[in-house]
Amino acid sequence: MVKRLDTALERLIREKEENHPEDHRVLKILHLYIDHSPCWDSLRCKDGRYIYVSPGVKLVTGYEPDEFYENPKIDSKIIHPDFLRLWENHQHRQTSKEEKVFLEFKIITKEGEERWINHFCERIRDVNSEIDLIRSSNIDISRIKMREMLIKEKSNTDPLTGLFNRRFLTDYAPKEMWIISKWGYNFVAIGDIDDFKKINDTYGHEAGDEVLKAIAKIIISNLREGDIAVRWGGEEFLLLLHDVSSSAIAYEIVERLRANVEKEVTWHQDKNLKVTISFGVARCKGKEEFSKAIKEADKRLYLAKNAGKNRVIATG
């Protein structure tokens, strides 16, 4: 087996230069094409040793090809920790099965930058020449991913308050959030601004918008890391509370939020607008019961309104 395919190709080009000009030209074109590819391409033996790494690897990862030749396990250093298990499983599959594999994962470059990679690999074999290698091609798709995230963020975000919108829960959350969190959102709260219609009727819808934005800021500043806030519709807000051990703690979190809303003053055209908010809180035992938990929280919100507003009623 050739130890370094790129150096062997360079040697062959030199050998063909004088006596085989046409072969030399074809090989030179091939070499130039490979050298100028923006992709990170490679050929490896089944034992993991690299016999070819394209110059494009430096553009994608920041590492030189020689660093891969010297350390065949360098890829595990480059793969983002969140994707290491996926990568290890993939490594096992590609050496045990003859199949084309496509993956998307993140890497950390030599400079510490995170990038998204579209990865393709396959096993290539030629029994007669005893060739049994794994070829792979890696393309930096970070810009594409960033654009996707911006589009998704806009479609899932309420433009007035900056909170997630209802579509986030119906489209994004069931597919992504539950998987990422392993269903750690075990309490749901629904809040409704008290007498919001009076604000709109008395001061106009611009004043109502200012109140909504002010309350959204209070929600964002009071929720814990991992909690999620959604503008549920109109003057309603839905909260997903992450990793809460009891109803009493869920109540404390939401009650603190309610009290901060009560203390807040919103100014609109030199007018002092003070508002309050009522909440209903319900336990959610699993993602299959999410719709049921929302209905339970809504029932408790109704009880809070009937009990005099500006209060929190939680699961007992």
Side-chain angles (χ1 to χ4, degrees):
M1 178 66 67
V2 178
K3 184 179 180 182
R4 286 272 299 274
L5 197 61
D6 50 356
T7 52
L9 181 57
E10 290 169 0
R11 186 170 61 250
L12 186 60
I13 290 171
R14 288 194 299 270
E15 291 172 358
K16 297 289 184 180
E17 188 170 6
E18 293 184 9
N19 301 324
H20 301 85
E22 187 59 30
D23 289 348
H24 173 265
R25 183 173 181 275
V26 171
L27 288 171
K28 190 68 177 177
I29 290 171
L30 176 62
H31 197 233
L32 285 170
Y33 171 77
I34 293 172
D35 278 358
H36 287 82
S37 170
C39 301
W40 158 22
D41 296 311
S42 68
L43 283 170
R44 287 189 299 150
C45 304
K46 285 187 66 180
D47 62 8
R49 288 181 298 113
Y50 284 96
I51 65 164
Y52 174 73
V53 180
S54 68
V57 71
K58 184 170 175 62
L59 293 173
V60 179
T61 71
Y63 291 89
E64 299 284 353
D66 283 344
E67 294 179 83
F68 286 77
Y69 297 129
E70 294 164 5
N71 179 13
K73 294 184 178 180
I74 191 173
D75 49 7
S76 61
K77 176 182 177 181
I78 297 170
I79 302 299
H80 191 284
D82 292 348
F83 293 86
L84 266 179
R85 182 171 294 181
L86 173 70
W87 181 253
E88 289 167 359
N89 291 339
H90 165 57
Q91 293 287 85
H92 173 73
R93 285 176 59 200
Q94 70 180 3
T95 55
S96 61
K97 296 181 180 180
E98 295 185 28
E99 59 181 13
K100 293 179 172 64
V101 179
F102 295 86
L103 289 176
E104 284 188 2
F105 53 80
K106 281 201 295 187
I107 65 167
I108 300 177
T109 68
K110 195 171 187 177
E111 295 76 25
E113 179 187 351
E114 291 187 3
R115 291 184 181 176
W116 275 99
I117 299 297
N118 181 283
H119 170 84
F120 164 78
C121 79
E122 65 178 341
R123 191 173 171 187
I124 53 175
R125 304 179 71 183
D126 185 340
V127 177
N128 294 329
S129 57
E130 298 183 350
I131 292 175
D132 189 357
L133 300 169
I134 297 166
R135 67 167 288 259
S136 68
S137 183
N138 303 278
I139 304 172
D140 185 348
I141 57 169
S142 301
R143 290 184 180 180
I144 296 172
K145 279 290 185 180
M146 181 62 69
R147 189 159 56 244
E148 286 178 358
M149 288 171 65
L150 288 173
I151 292 170
K152 181 180 286 187
E153 183 179 350
K154 287 181 180 178
S155 66
N156 288 316
T157 303
D158 174 55
L160 179 66
T161 63
L163 302 178
F164 288 114
N165 59 22
R166 193 164 187 144
R167 181 178 176 179
F168 170 81
L169 284 184
T170 57
D171 290 356
Y172 178 75
K175 298 174 185 176
E176 303 289 345
M177 188 177 66
W178 307 146
I179 297 171
I180 295 169
S181 66
K182 298 180 181 178
W183 189 248
Y185 296 89
N186 48 4
F187 277 88
V188 176
I190 297 179
D192 183 273
I193 301 173
D194 298 324
D195 302 316
F196 186 71
K197 187 175 183 300
K198 286 184 181 179
I199 295 172
N200 282 331
D201 291 345
T202 305
Y203 303 106
H205 289 280
E206 285 187 8
D209 287 350
E210 290 301 318
V211 168
L212 287 167
K213 288 190 287 186
I215 290 180
K217 287 181 181 178
I218 297 170
I219 290 173
I220 292 170
S221 63
N222 279 272
L223 289 185
R224 307 160 306 148
E225 185 176 357
D227 292 342
I228 291 174
V230 178
R231 186 180 177 192
W232 193 233
E235 66 271 28
E236 281 193 331
F237 301 90
L238 183 143
L239 312 177
L240 299 175
L241 304 181
H242 182 263
D243 194 21
V244 177
S245 59
S246 69
S247 297
I249 293 176
Y251 173 85
E252 288 176 8
I253 294 168
V254 180
E255 170 59 22
R256 181 173 62 249
L257 176 57
R258 181 210 61 77
N260 284 329
V261 169
E262 185 180 19
K263 289 187 294 186
E264 180 68 20
V265 174
T266 301
W267 290 91
H268 177 70
Q269 296 179 351
D270 296 327
K271 294 181 176 65
N272 182 338
L273 307 180
K274 286 187 68 68
V275 296
T276 60
I277 189 168
S278 301
F279 280 98
V281 183
R283 183 188 293 273
C284 188
K285 296 179 180 178
K287 65 179 180 180
E288 294 80 9
E289 296 190 17
F290 183 55
S291 296
K292 181 180 176 182
I294 290 177
K295 290 178 182 178
E296 287 297 319
D298 205 41
K299 285 180 183 178
R300 284 166 175 75
L301 171 61
Y302 179 78
L303 293 174
K305 292 286 190 181
N306 284 345
K309 304 174 185 176
N310 191 26
R311 65 193 63 216
V312 177
I313 294 184
T315 302

